[in-house]
Amino acid sequence: MRLCAYYLFTEKRRNYTLDSVANFHLKNGAVMWRINWLADRSPRGLANSCGIMVNYRYFLEECECNSRTYLETMKVIASDTVTFLAKAAEDIIKKSPSDPGSSPLLPRSPSPPVITITPDSKI
């Protein structure tokens, strides 16, 4: 959930969200409202987005302002919940070691034991 929020809220290409659906709704003045875990359990939904779906909410009196803000400043308008999840992921990412093989949001697994085989070893 945190990674999804981080991706939708933070990751950009040419200053717009990478996700085309998010980009569509934000350009039209919606607020990134809620992220729903296992909302799409179909095989396609699980393969495309791990079953995660996002709700975008349109506050009619704020649509024009939200749209203008996104188009001019590229700032994603999101609910406090989505913002919290995105910031939580960002905090975890910043604290993680810079090991390129590690994932900052997954627990580190212990390194495998070292096994030394000598001519006297019995296998």
Side-chain angles (χ1 to χ4, degrees):
M1 298 288 284
R2 291 177 294 194
L3 275 177
C4 179
Y6 181 83
Y7 168 76
L8 292 169
F9 188 77
T10 308
E11 293 299 316
K12 308 273 176 75
R13 178 183 45 188
R14 296 184 184 157
N15 295 323
Y16 293 109
T17 60
L18 283 173
D19 184 75
S20 60
V21 174
N23 202 35
F24 169 82
H25 287 290
L26 295 168
K27 281 183 175 181
N28 287 311
V31 174
M32 191 178 293
W33 191 249
R34 184 173 46 214
I35 298 173
N36 303 293
W37 174 251
L38 291 179
D40 185 356
R41 297 177 189 194
S42 70
R44 183 176 178 185
L46 292 170
N48 288 344
S49 64
C50 299
I52 298 172
M53 293 183 76
V54 180
N55 291 121
Y56 295 90
R57 189 165 180 187
Y58 287 86
F59 295 98
L60 296 180
E61 62 280 354
E62 298 173 12
C63 278
E64 187 176 339
C65 181
N66 290 347
S67 176
R68 189 177 318 110
T69 298
Y70 181 66
L71 293 170
E72 293 174 1
T73 68
M74 288 65 171
K75 180 182 184 299
V76 173
I77 308 296
S79 69
D80 291 341
T81 305
V82 173
T83 304
F84 175 80
L85 288 170
K87 298 295 182 196
E90 188 173 44
D91 291 344
I92 292 169
I93 291 168
K94 285 181 181 177
K95 290 179 187 175
S96 71
S98 59
D99 176 13
S102 70
S103 171
L105 296 177
L106 297 176
R108 289 181 158 267
S109 60
S111 54
V114 176
I115 300 173
T116 307
I117 299 178
T118 64
D120 299 332
S121 299
K122 293 182 180 177
I123 298 178

